[in-house]
Amino acid sequence: MTSPTTAPLRPATLAPAGLPGLDPRFSHRLTVPGGDQWHYLDTGPELAARGLEPRGTVLAVHGNPTWSYLWRALLPATLDAAAAGGPVWRVVAVDQLEMGLSARTGRQRTLPERVRDLDVFTTTLGLTGPVVALGHDWGGVVASGWAVDHPEQLAGLALLNTAVAHPADEPIPAPLRAATAGPVLRLATSTTRAFLETTLALAHPPLPRAVADAYRTPYRHADERQGIEGFVADIPADPAHTSAPELHRIAAGVAALDVPALLLWGPRDPVFQDRYLDDLLDRLPHARVHRYEGAGHLLAEDVDWPPALLAWLTEQVGTGPAGAAGAADTADVADAPARAPLWAALDARADDPGPAVLDMTAADGPRTVSWRLLARQVRRIAAGLHATGVRRGDRVSLLVQPGPTLTALVYACLRIGAVVVVADAGLGPQGLTRAQRGAQPDWVVGQTKGLLAARALGWPGVRIAADPLHPATRRALGVAHTLLDVADAGRDEVLPPEPAPADEAAILFTSGSTGPAKGVVYTHAQLSAVRDVLREHFAVGPDTGLVTGFAPFALLGPALGTRSVTPDMDISAPRTLTARAVADAVRASEAAIVFLSPAAVLNVVATADALDDADRTALGGVRTFLSTGAPVSEELLSSAAAVMPAADAHTPYGMTECLLVTDITLDGIRDAAAAPDAGVCVGRPVGGGEVLISALDADGAATGAPGTAPGVLGEVLVRAPHLKQRYDRLWLTDRAAERDTPPGRWHRTGDVGHLDADGRLWIEGRLAHVLTTPDGPLAPVGPEQHVERVAGVRRAAVVGVGPAGVQQAVAVVESLPAARRRGLAPDALAAEVRAASPVPLAAVLVVPALPTDIRHNSKIDRARLSTWASRVLAGGRVGAP
């Protein structure tokens, strides 16, 4: 139903010339039946002038208090893509009535009316399918309403920071509560520009003055802002609101859509927070989704987003049913050989009274849990979690220190099909908050320290306390259940059906050493493949025993069917592990395998003098020693081997995305030392894995066709049965990792290196750290190795300064003894470093310690050092890197 024909208080107007980024040729007006006048942007006439027939139309709907100017970057982007031979898409971006440059009628429109208004507009315009509905903010709700009402025309739904539902038992976000509060509503929205200015201030970085002024153009006077007031007043803050039934109808309709969907999200949004993205994903599980870390509510201003929409339109829209796009994602899983579930070995030893997990970190002394007790705990916790409401596919964040409790929780969650979320404390409060909000767990199981952080930092999820709590503490932390209560609820041990191999099992977060930590999704089949390659490659049997001082592998003992022990250390701080703690753990478990991170190995070697004869005897029984997480030098591995003299020393190469790619022994490293190759030799692929190299071009980009030719410097590509499924809510990152790869599931690692004639892989650094010099791309690790041979150097980083293409190499070193001041190296040390380096060095700088990641304490932040070196050499403040 449209409004009766009346003269508008202000008719629609065309966009004025001079607005940044908006070609006024795209500006049009349309009068619909009933007399309402719309302003809209349209590329249709331009396409017709070029003789191009569009595949379909993108119908873009802005929110409050923006207008069609929000979509200005999309119009030329689609035209450029069409001119380049890509799919041709028309863009129609409307100004909703009472908003932007459309007419002011003096009416306060409700959500049902706005959905009907848009239908009248598209009908009058003669818009036919296929149509992709695109919306932002409350325009996302209106666009979704149109999509639900036009299934015969709908080809896809794309949304930026919006919501179609809000929990009935929760208040709306605080900024909206403030804006809708009584007399504040009119004052903040129409009488003044407060609401408009607050919204414009949400851009990251701040909007240029001219762009902000363009957004203000339709809203200069109070009577032009009445639509802003009406929009805010129409927010269904409670179930009794006039527009609540329509919002519920749209939400239900969105859940029934089977068209391709795209969700682009700015997590720094105080209104449309990640919980709304989570709700949309529950309704559109097939959607492609990308969270732009650092972006906020005005995503369209914060990032270059049109390429993402264009890629999605090309790859997903019009290519078949919505589910077809994701079919290839699970093809390898479906075709993979059947593998026993992770808990199979635990079930097989359920009556075994022998030790399964030993915890040397407990404050009251070492704890031992038998296979029988562990199996029973897992069954009871699993049954109790299910009875409490945890369901297959629910995300469960575990804020529990490694040990028997965490082990039981992990296997209980896996058994009932819940998805375990693991982000270690090494990310720090800010990194952990990003991880928790990004993963949006449904449940959080934590010890008191973790629950305190969850409460203070607003992490999502129903809270379950792993520790007994006083009732007052429980209330203060917002705890809904305790683990004791959960286990008691599962005493009957009635379990749901087992999850399928292709079901998601875990989200493991990367270390954050190369940018914000990313969630890496593994299926049950892929985690089982990790277990199988470790068991087969390192000959793990029931009586092997495993000492793990490396968090990612601290939980694999039960899956491998062997006892495991966590030594006395802070597992989130590897440098706290001592040689005596390793000896104690080996002695307590009679372990034959020791698995440590490189940072842990450093301290084990440094504290080896404290070992007594009994300690050395215990360590003499170790037959296999592994260190992974970062390159390990031959010298360090040799020193560790001296502590465990009977052990075969290995340093596997892997990453969170593929935990084991290649492996090399100490003898293999010594053999490789005679080779002329630059970098760190990490051996050959294991466990059915494959490695290819994509050569670097002169700009340092990996553009070469992936291959196995020896001696070619390029990005490392890996493939293995245990390769991750995808990144969590990072569709564009997935696309980049799978760019120009051969058939099958391959992953671009971001590492650079080369293969030698014997098929061994040599790692030479990170792609982001490659220097682009006048002589071509230069990987840093090779020169660093030469510099580190200088007697006065402990560690070195070679970084680039200057413009891309003509960068100069600079060495930043940790000196021995440690430098007291940062800056230029002493002349004598600088001369030795220059003499040792195989490449010319523009400068040699010293620091007391190179900046590294927390998890491994060994991945050097070369990007940070490059910025610091550039500042220092330009005469700026020295400070810390």
Side-chain angles (χ1 to χ4, degrees), residues 385-636:
L385 287 171
H386 192 260
T388 302
V390 181
R391 293 293 179 263
R392 178 180 298 193
D394 281 4
R395 296 183 170 194
V396 182
S397 177
L398 301 177
L399 307 177
V400 178
Q401 286 292 318
T405 300
L406 179 60
T407 301
L409 279 165
V410 166
Y411 286 89
C413 289
L414 293 173
R415 173 57 187 82
I416 63 174
V419 181
V420 175
V421 178
V422 179
D424 69 57
L427 295 177
Q430 185 177 9
L432 279 171
T433 297
R434 277 198 302 260
Q436 296 294 328
R437 291 180 179 171
Q440 280 292 297
D442 303 284
W443 305 81
V444 174
V445 185
Q447 292 167 319
T448 305
K449 184 178 179 180
L451 294 175
L452 280 167
R455 180 72 170 186
L457 300 172
W459 297 347
V462 178
R463 295 178 194 135
I464 300 174
D467 300 328
L469 295 177
H470 187 278
T473 305
R474 178 172 172 171
R475 287 192 299 272
L477 295 178
V479 170
H481 311 277
T482 68
L483 192 56
L484 288 174
D485 295 337
V486 168
D488 189 61
R491 291 176 67 86
D492 57 8
E493 300 185 11
V494 175
L495 299 172
E498 294 184 357
D503 287 349
E504 293 180 5
I507 300 172
L508 312 179
F509 276 85
T510 61
S511 66
S513 60
T514 56
K518 299 181 287 290
V520 178
V521 178
Y522 276 87
T523 65
H524 283 268
Q526 289 152 0
L527 286 184
S528 293
V530 172
R531 173 205 59 204
D532 292 348
V533 68
L534 285 170
R535 182 168 56 196
E536 293 161 11
H537 186 67
F538 296 110
V540 181
D543 297 319
T544 299
L546 177 66
V547 172
T548 60
F550 187 45
F553 290 96
L555 301 165
L556 281 172
L560 291 164
T562 194
R563 61 189 174 278
S564 59
V565 56
T566 304
D568 186 8
M569 65 179 295
D570 178 353
I571 202 156
S572 65
R575 285 178 174 168
T576 61
L577 181 64
T578 65
R580 172 155 282 182
V582 175
D584 289 342
V586 170
R587 185 164 40 241
S589 61
E590 298 181 351
I593 297 180
V594 173
F595 204 138
L596 306 176
S597 72
V601 174
L602 272 172
N603 204 51
V604 167
V605 170
T607 57
D609 289 345
L611 296 172
D612 59 24
D613 290 343
D615 295 331
R616 294 187 182 278
T617 299
L619 291 172
V622 176
R623 65 169 174 79
T624 304
F625 162 66
L626 300 88
S627 183
T628 190
V632 182
S633 69
E634 186 270 339
E635 180 183 4
L636 179 59

Side-chain angles (χ1 to χ4, degrees), residues 63-88:
N64 184 34
T66 58
W67 57 289
S68 57
Y69 184 71
L70 180 80
W71 309 113
R72 67 192 182 281
L74 181 61
L75 282 71
T78 55
L79 293 174
D80 291 345
V88 180

Side-chain angles (χ1 to χ4, degrees), residues 500-845:
D503 287 349
E504 293 180 5
I507 300 172
L508 312 179
F509 276 85
T510 61
S511 66
S513 60
T514 56
K518 299 181 287 290
V520 178
V521 178
Y522 276 87
T523 65
H524 283 268
Q526 289 152 0
L527 286 184
S528 293
V530 172
R531 173 205 59 204
D532 292 348
V533 68
L534 285 170
R535 182 168 56 196
E536 293 161 11
H537 186 67
F538 296 110
V540 181
D543 297 319
T544 299
L546 177 66
V547 172
T548 60
F550 187 45
F553 290 96
L555 301 165
L556 281 172
L560 291 164
T562 194
R563 61 189 174 278
S564 59
V565 56
T566 304
D568 186 8
M569 65 179 295
D570 178 353
I571 202 156
S572 65
R575 285 178 174 168
T576 61
L577 181 64
T578 65
R580 172 155 282 182
V582 175
D584 289 342
V586 170
R587 185 164 40 241
S589 61
E590 298 181 351
I593 297 180
V594 173
F595 204 138
L596 306 176
S597 72
V601 174
L602 272 172
N603 204 51
V604 167
V605 170
T607 57
D609 289 345
L611 296 172
D612 59 24
D613 290 343
D615 295 331
R616 294 187 182 278
T617 299
L619 291 172
V622 176
R623 65 169 174 79
T624 304
F625 162 66
L626 300 88
S627 183
T628 190
V632 182
S633 69
E634 186 270 339
E635 180 183 4
L636 179 59
L637 207 60
S638 295
S639 298
V643 177
M644 294 168 273
D648 192 12
H650 295 252
T651 174
Y653 162 70
M655 59 216 68
T656 309
E657 296 86 344
C658 191
L659 293 168
L660 189 61
V661 177
T662 66
D663 182 37
I664 191 169
T665 63
L666 176 57
D667 287 342
I669 291 174
R670 289 168 174 163
D671 290 343
D677 301 71
V680 176
C681 183
V682 295
R684 298 178 179 84
V686 299
E690 300 174 65
V691 172
L692 297 174
I693 301 295
S694 174
L696 303 185
D697 61 21
D699 297 323
T703 56
T708 57
V712 175
L713 176 64
E715 184 177 14
V716 178
L717 281 66
V718 301
R719 180 185 184 188
H722 48 282
L723 175 66
K724 54 89 176 168
Q725 184 64 20
R726 57 181 173 82
Y727 289 113
D728 186 42
R729 303 180 182 185
L730 292 171
W731 174 59
L732 295 178
T733 307
D734 275 325
R735 290 185 75 250
E738 297 162 5
R739 172 185 60 83
D740 300 331
T741 57
R745 290 193 322 111
W746 287 86
H747 172 71
R748 288 182 173 267
T749 65
D751 288 337
V752 292
H754 69 275
L755 293 167
D756 64 18
D758 294 323
R760 297 175 299 189
L761 175 63
W762 296 71
I763 297 297
E764 300 183 61
R766 294 286 296 171
L767 185 62
H769 300 159
V770 169
L771 288 69
T772 54
T773 74
D775 297 323
L778 173 67
V781 170
E784 289 168 358
Q785 290 174 312
H786 286 269
V787 170
E788 287 172 350
R789 292 173 189 152
V790 173
V793 173
R794 179 174 181 267
R795 286 194 299 182
V798 172
V799 300
V801 298
V806 291
Q807 285 188 314
Q808 303 298 307
V810 171
V812 184
V813 304
E814 285 183 19
S815 60
L816 289 172
R820 294 184 178 181
R821 294 182 179 179
R822 307 174 186 91
L824 291 172
D827 291 344
L829 177 61
E832 289 186 71
V833 168
R834 291 180 193 277
S837 173
V839 298
L841 296 174
V844 180
L845 304 176

Side-chain angles (χ1 to χ4, degrees), residues 189-202:
T189 56
S190 61
T191 304
T192 70
R193 296 193 316 204
F195 188 84
L196 172 64
E197 297 301 329
T198 298
T199 301
L200 297 181
L202 295 177

